């Protein structure tokens, strides 16, 4: 774990560097068993997940165990949506959405404007592993 200019980073076991976002910016929404979870009106497992190289630190809502969950984006009908997710155990997934989903400008913060999205740059980024 490193810090630079008030920003925290972690490095995974395989050497990838992830920026740690504020966990308070996300709220737990659901746990999914298996590979089916509906967010944004779609099954997120039916879409390719773009790894943003960002993560949040959270606690399992049932047992309180700490986890680091990656932040991903998916594109649905040309719109990019952001969420955090990870496995609590084999095929038991936790999902978090941005806390203040409605921004002061009235837009849904889970829906990412094209200029803020990582989606156009997905080449070479990992798809989630299942």
């Amino acid at each position: 774990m490193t810090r630079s200019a008030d920003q925290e980073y972690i490095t995974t076991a395989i050497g990838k560097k992830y920026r740690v976002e504020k966990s308070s910016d996300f709220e737990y929404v659901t746990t999914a068993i298996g590979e089916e979870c509906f967010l944004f009106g779609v099954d997120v497992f039916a879409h390719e997940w773009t790894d943003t190289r960002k993560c949040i630190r959270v606690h399992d809502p049932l047992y309180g165990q700490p986890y680091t969950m990656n932040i991903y984006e998916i594109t649905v009908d040309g719109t990019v949506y952001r969420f955090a997710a990870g496995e609590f155990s084999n095929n038991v997934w936790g999902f978090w959405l941005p806390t203040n989903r409605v921004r002061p400008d009235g837009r849904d913060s889970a829906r990412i404007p094209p200029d803020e999205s990582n989606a156009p740059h997905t080449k070479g980024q990992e798809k989630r592993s299942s």
Side-chain angles (χ1 to χ4, degrees):
M1 177 173 60
T2 60
R3 285 189 181 269
S4 65
D6 291 333
Q7 187 61 56
E8 181 181 356
Y9 293 85
I10 61 170
T11 303
T12 66
I14 58 172
K16 288 191 177 184
K17 191 173 184 179
Y18 282 74
R19 187 171 80 195
V20 179
E21 299 291 306
K22 292 189 303 185
S23 297
S24 62
D25 289 347
F26 285 79
E27 65 182 278
Y28 168 79
V29 289
T30 193
T31 297
I33 299 173
E35 290 197 359
E36 182 178 85
C37 180
F38 287 86
L39 299 174
F40 323 114
V42 299
D43 179 3
V44 294
F45 286 104
H47 292 78
E48 183 174 338
W49 297 11
T50 301
D51 187 354
T52 66
R53 302 291 288 270
K54 297 176 185 174
C55 63
I56 58 173
R57 292 202 170 126
V58 297
H59 287 86
D60 177 327
L62 186 58
Y63 300 108
Q65 182 176 344
Y67 286 91
T68 299
M69 301 296 187
N70 292 350
I71 299 172
Y72 297 99
E73 293 178 351
I74 62 170
T75 302
V76 178
D77 297 328
T79 301
V80 179
Y81 294 91
R82 183 172 292 157
F83 63 96
E87 284 183 290
F88 292 130
S89 62
N90 191 30
N91 254 354
V92 178
W93 291 82
F95 288 88
W96 284 258
L97 292 179
T99 302
N100 299 317
R101 293 196 62 201
V102 179
R103 296 179 177 176
D105 63 7
R107 297 191 338 222
D108 183 338
S109 66
R111 185 174 160 185
I112 309 303
D115 59 329
E116 295 177 22
S117 171
N118 290 330
H121 312 289
T122 59
K123 187 173 182 177
Q125 290 187 345
E126 284 187 18
K127 182 178 176 183
R128 68 163 173 87
S129 58
S130 18

